[in-house]
Amino acid sequence: MHDVQGEVIVTASAGISWYPTDGNQGTDLVQKAETAMGRAKESGIQRVEFFTSDMQASSLESLRLHKDLLDALEQEQFTLFFQPQIDLATDGIAGAEALVRWHHPDGKIVGPQDFIPILEDMGRIQELGEFVLNQGCDALQRINEAGLDLPRMAINLAAPQLEDPDLGSKLAKTMQASGIPPEQLELEVTESLLISRFELVQNQMSELLGMGISVALDDFGTGYSSLQYLTRYPFSKLKIDKSFVWNMAKGDKDYEVVKAIISLGHSLQIKVLAEGVEDKRHEQTLRTLGCELVQGYLYSPPIDFKAFVEYLRKYSHPGQED
Ligand code: C2E
Ligand code: CA
Ligand code: CA
């Protein structure tokens, strides 16, 4: 006989439905008890929940949303909006960030916070990511062909994309098809991505950088902010999260954080971009602190391709680089 070591902790959650209030049939009652159990598990361990009609409504809603999202992937109902990034030294356009939107068949434009986490849970975020990369490169190709000047397009990467060993070859293929130079492409990654699979990500990053694609660190300061990443990976840019920018009134701790990030970036020769710049005061403070790049509603919210092309026609001056 083997020695059995360790301890196994078993917990239970329960869902309860009532006869006849919740139904007359056994199958119906069990199904509703299961819905209540699902809610009990969501709210923590060792909980008991009684079925209520709003639970059914929300579980039906979530089922519908899952189905709608599968249709959206299949029918390519996603689209990209673009938000300009401004160089404070010249006031010119240094680049743009591509931000995904869901063009829902009922006419609504749905923001990424309402569907990206669900696609992640469904294990389908990679498909959206590839669509976004292709669309982003396609948009860039059209901008180049129109003779407009956009030094760089930034595209957000989801975790499974950075873990995909074929990312480099997929990008090479996309760029070859669209004929855009790799220097025009920047990928935005977040810190949480970097800690999850350190070695794999390190190899992946080397491949991208070797191809001439730059990588920006997004939402810096909101996660682990490990300084090790900054020395190990040659990031092209550090992006300061909008929450710091909004609370930057002088004297506030967030002001000190912004100041420290900018000075850290400068010491490591990494450009710093502050996002969420909504008013002139934000801009002035960032200018004083020596921040090079800004992005926010003060300049433009994310806009659709047509509006973005208009924006470039109006404000871009060929020959200006970041
Ligand atoms: P993020 O990468 O930090 O993107 C910046 C978000 O801040 C965008 O929200 C943008 O619209 C918003 N923003 C920019 N300037 C301002 C401002 O001055 N004021 C305010 N109130 N908001 C501002 P959005 O487009 O809703 O995107 C939210 C998040 O969704 C992004 O945060 C990013 O994490 C994710 N996301 C967006 N597109 C993609 C994508 O194509 N792929 C992946 N994986 N994630 C994406
Ligand atoms: Ca971003
Ligand atoms: Ca951000």
Side-chain angles (χ1 to χ4, degrees):
M1 223 171 81
H2 297 288
D3 276 347
V4 180
Q5 288 189 345
E7 190 182 7
V8 177
I9 298 170
V10 180
T11 62
S13 304
I16 300 173
S17 59
W18 291 103
Y19 169 87
T21 330
D22 298 331
N24 297 316
Q25 305 286 324
T27 46
D28 197 19
L29 286 168
V30 169
Q31 200 201 350
K32 284 174 177 160
E34 270 178 3
T35 301
M37 184 179 68
R39 180 62 65 87
K41 284 186 177 164
E42 276 168 24
S43 17
I45 51 169
Q46 308 210 64
R47 292 190 53 111
V48 177
E49 288 282 349
F50 287 91
F51 176 79
T52 56
S53 54
D54 66 301
M55 280 179 193
Q56 189 167 34
S58 80
S59 81
L60 275 177
E61 220 169 85
S62 129
L63 266 181
R64 199 168 306 131
L65 186 58
H66 279 60
K67 193 192 161 293
D68 284 357
L69 276 171
L70 291 178
D71 289 347
L73 280 174
E74 199 169 305
Q75 295 162 18
E76 302 196 335
Q77 291 168 4
F78 297 101
T79 183
L80 291 184
F81 273 35
F82 302 90
Q83 187 175 34
Q85 300 175 330
I86 310 297
D87 183 338
L88 281 180
T90 60
D91 287 332
I93 301 166
E97 179 175 7
L99 294 153
V100 70
R101 300 287 181 266
W102 176 15
H103 218 134
H104 198 278
D106 72 8
K108 267 193 312 223
I109 304 264
V110 185
Q113 312 286 35
D114 291 335
F115 60 85
I116 285 191
I118 303 168
L119 282 174
E120 273 170 354
D121 278 354
M122 290 164 72
R124 306 295 289 264
I125 192 70
Q126 186 126 353
E127 284 160 69
L128 176 73
E130 278 168 27
F131 175 82
V132 166
L133 275 173
N134 288 333
Q135 288 287 107
C137 290
D138 187 58
L140 202 44
Q141 181 189 13
R142 286 196 278 159
I143 287 167
N144 290 347
E145 280 171 1
L148 294 163
D149 183 45
L150 182 67
R152 199 157 287 125
M153 170 89 77
I155 297 182
N156 294 282
L157 274 198
Q161 285 181 280
L162 201 59
E163 290 175 358
D164 174 8
D166 297 329
L167 176 68
S169 56
K170 282 176 186 164
L171 275 167
K173 224 163 99 190
T174 311
M175 283 187 307
Q176 204 176 12
S178 53
I180 57 164
E183 297 73 33
Q184 237 181 331
L185 191 63
E186 178 168 74
L187 301 173
E188 293 193 2
V189 303
T190 57
E191 288 170 289
S192 57
L193 266 177
L194 304 180
I195 47 155
S196 57
R197 308 269 305 271
F198 195 76
E199 216 161 291
L200 179 101
V201 170
Q202 199 164 25
N203 295 337
Q204 199 78 296
M205 291 263 296
S206 312
E207 190 183 349
L208 296 175
L209 298 165
M211 289 166 68
I213 297 173
S214 48
V215 183
L217 185 54
D218 205 358
D219 300 342
F220 187 71
T222 58
Y224 296 86
S225 308
S226 163
L227 302 181
Q228 217 179 21
Y229 303 133
L230 297 185
T231 53
R232 290 224 183 148
Y233 301 121
F235 289 108
S236 55
K237 213 169 270 167
L238 270 186
K239 291 191 80 175
I240 305 181
D241 192 63
K242 45 189 178 299
S243 57
F244 293 114
V245 173
W246 292 341
N247 297 322
M248 215 172 39
K250 225 175 166 159
D252 198 288
K253 286 206 174 111
D254 286 2
Y255 172 83
E256 299 300 330
V257 171
V258 171
K259 192 169 144 191
I261 296 178
I262 294 170
S263 126
L264 182 65
H266 287 173
S267 316
L268 297 170
Q269 268 130 31
I270 308 174
K271 286 200 171 176
V272 179
L273 183 149
E275 66 176 24
V277 178
E278 291 192 346
D279 57 45
K280 278 279 171 199
R281 268 178 316 134
H282 292 155
E283 187 193 271
Q284 194 46 47
T285 308
L286 290 160
R287 252 185 217 285
T288 315
L289 292 176
C291 182
E292 288 98 348
L293 299 157
V294 283
Q295 178 181 345
Y297 290 0
L298 177 62
Y299 315 97
S300 168
I303 45 182
D304 67 17
F305 183 72
K306 196 164 163 271
F308 183 61
V309 166
E310 292 294 306
Y311 183 96
L312 285 178
R313 283 193 205 288
K314 198 164 162 195
Y315 297 109
S316 93
H317 309 288
Q320 202 166 52
E321 272 290 312
D322 69 339

